[in-house]
Amino acid sequence: MEHGRGMTEGLCQALAEEIEILKKERKAVILAHYYQRPEIQDIADFVGDSLQLSQRAAIIDAEVIVLCGVHFMAESAAILAPDKVVILPEANAGCPMADMVDAEGLRAYKKRVPGVKVVCYVNSSAEVKAESDICCTSSNAVKVVQSLQGQDILFIPDENLGRYVARILGQTLQLWPGYCKTHDRLTKEDILKARKEHPLAKVIVHPECREEICQEADYISSTAGLIAYAQNSESHDFIVGTESGILHRLYQVCPDKEFHLASERLVCPNMKLTTLAKVRDALIALSPRITVKEEIRVKAKEALERMLAL
Ligand code: 13P
Ligand code: SF4
């Protein structure tokens, strides 16, 4: 697999040029997540983590938003920018973690534990956000939970991120048993092996990793946080415990440093479904379009806006 050196072969170049023309015709902006393929990051107007993508979608000046990421990201854009046409180039690009909680299950939990405040990781459906008090991403989860001090909190759906936040704050949280199938593939043995091969390297991991991985890490943060850490660190070598797509940006911002993916299994199949051809086709057809029912959208927006206000 290509890690971050950019694909400039003829076909990619031709598709990128077609996309550039279509983008202008459609008055479209392309937003991409750091886990996208290198060639998708290269044609994007903005590449960011989940929080940055939501912030951008909320203020964007365009008629069409092409969200190169997974379904919940496009849905967040549709919730925050209802006057825009939001396109997800690959309709099947979902997030298995987001599917681990549904609105019905959450309603049942709230009935069992009256008064509990629900902090909802953005990796969730609009219906689930609509049932939640406030959203968070991995870059602001600690701050969001802190803002609810003294209250009974249920953290959904990522058990690992919730446990990480609880540990940082020294607080007990009720945790929903969801997890990221991609980060879950990383084992402690992978980290120990990588440390043996690169003894001077710093281990940087995403909080979606299992607890035993986080305990081995030198630094834990969202994708944007890991990139900033690598940029500002004096170290030259890094063992990277998150999805492979991040290597593209890491090599762009730190061309003289070395990044070692902690495991070749750190590839999110859903993030990799988006291709240049699909972005081109989506711009032509303005489809697949992501929309959210108005009554759900309004409630989900409240939970997202409470997060953005922090
Ligand atoms: P962040 O970019 O917010 O760290 O999100 C990671 C992720 O798993 C998105 O699916
Ligand atoms: Fe979902 Fe994990 Fe893929 Fe992110 S990396 S989209 S959390 S499965």
Side-chain angles (χ1 to χ4, degrees):
M1 193 191 142
E2 165 122 9
H3 288 320
R5 304 297 183 188
M7 285 177 69
T8 50
E9 278 85 10
L11 181 61
C12 282
Q13 191 60 36
L15 280 167
E17 282 165 19
E18 253 187 281
I19 289 168
E20 199 51 41
I21 293 167
L22 283 162
K23 222 169 64 176
K24 288 197 180 103
E25 280 173 18
R26 294 298 197 190
K27 296 190 173 56
V29 162
I30 300 179
L31 305 182
H33 189 266
Y34 289 124
Y35 294 163
Q36 290 287 292
R37 294 169 184 272
E39 64 272 24
I40 297 292
Q41 296 188 41
D42 288 345
I43 53 117
D45 296 290
F46 177 78
V47 186
D49 71 358
S50 307
L51 177 64
Q52 294 165 332
L53 293 176
S54 306
Q55 288 168 329
R56 256 320 143 107
I59 56 160
I60 224 151
D61 181 21
E63 288 180 12
V64 175
I65 299 174
V66 180
L67 203 309
C68 299
V70 290
H71 190 268
F72 75 81
M73 295 176 176
E75 221 178 34
S76 293
I79 292 165
L80 292 165
D83 53 328
K84 312 281 190 292
V85 174
V86 178
I87 306 293
L88 180 69
E90 166 55 61
N92 294 316
C95 168
M97 184 207 288
D99 296 337
M100 291 177 189
V101 57
D102 62 15
E104 206 186 321
L106 179 55
R107 275 193 293 270
Y109 191 102
K110 291 199 294 184
K111 231 181 192 171
R112 282 200 306 278
V113 189
V116 73
K117 294 284 172 201
V118 181
V119 174
C120 175
Y121 191 27
V122 287
N123 299 38
S124 53
S125 68
E127 285 83 0
V128 166
K129 288 184 178 77
E131 287 291 335
S132 302
D133 293 283
I134 186 166
C135 288
C136 74
T137 72
S138 51
S139 55
N140 61 18
V142 171
K143 207 178 189 179
V144 166
V145 170
Q146 244 172 345
S147 75
L148 297 172
Q149 235 177 11
Q151 311 201 55
D152 220 11
I153 296 172
L154 168 66
F155 192 96
I156 61 167
D158 187 3
E159 191 171 10
N160 289 319
L161 177 61
R163 197 178 288 118
Y164 164 76
V165 173
R167 183 158 58 85
I168 295 281
L169 295 175
Q171 184 177 341
T172 306
L173 298 176
Q174 295 164 53
L175 304 174
W176 194 272
Y179 64 96
C180 165
K181 288 190 175 179
T182 298
H183 286 89
D184 190 58
R185 292 192 199 118
L186 186 59
T187 63
K188 189 171 165 183
E189 288 65 43
D190 291 324
I191 300 288
L192 297 179
K193 184 167 169 274
R195 269 216 199 269
K196 228 180 198 169
E197 285 165 12
H198 312 285
L200 297 178
K202 292 271 184 238
V203 175
I204 58 174
V205 310
H206 196 279
E208 285 176 16
C209 290
R210 293 190 216 159
E211 191 179 19
E212 72 203 51
I213 306 294
C214 292
Q215 276 166 1
E216 288 295 323
D218 295 302
Y219 191 68
I220 306 167
S221 189
S222 70
T223 50
L226 297 181
I227 292 164
Y229 177 82
Q231 268 184 295
N232 297 323
S233 167
E234 307 229 308
S235 297
H236 174 268
D237 272 68
F238 300 86
I239 293 161
V240 180
T242 192
E243 211 277 342
S244 62
I246 197 173
L247 295 181
H248 186 55
R249 178 51 67 101
L250 285 169
Y251 277 117
Q252 277 178 336
V253 296
C254 307
D256 300 325
K257 297 189 178 183
E258 288 292 331
F259 299 96
H260 315 282
L261 197 62
S263 160
E264 286 302 321
R265 299 184 303 281
L266 282 168
V267 178
C268 173
N270 291 285
M271 283 284 182
K272 301 303 186 237
L273 286 174
T274 308
T275 61
L276 287 177
K278 286 179 192 169
V279 173
R280 187 258 331 261
D281 295 347
L283 275 165
I284 293 171
L286 286 186
S287 161
R289 186 168 174 186
I290 304 299
T291 55
V292 181
K293 268 197 210 142
E294 190 57 12
E295 72 261 30
I296 302 282
R297 190 191 71 77
V298 172
K299 284 201 208 157
K301 187 167 181 251
E302 282 173 21
L304 275 169
E305 281 184 338
R306 277 187 208 114
M307 166 187 86
L308 294 172
L310 291 175

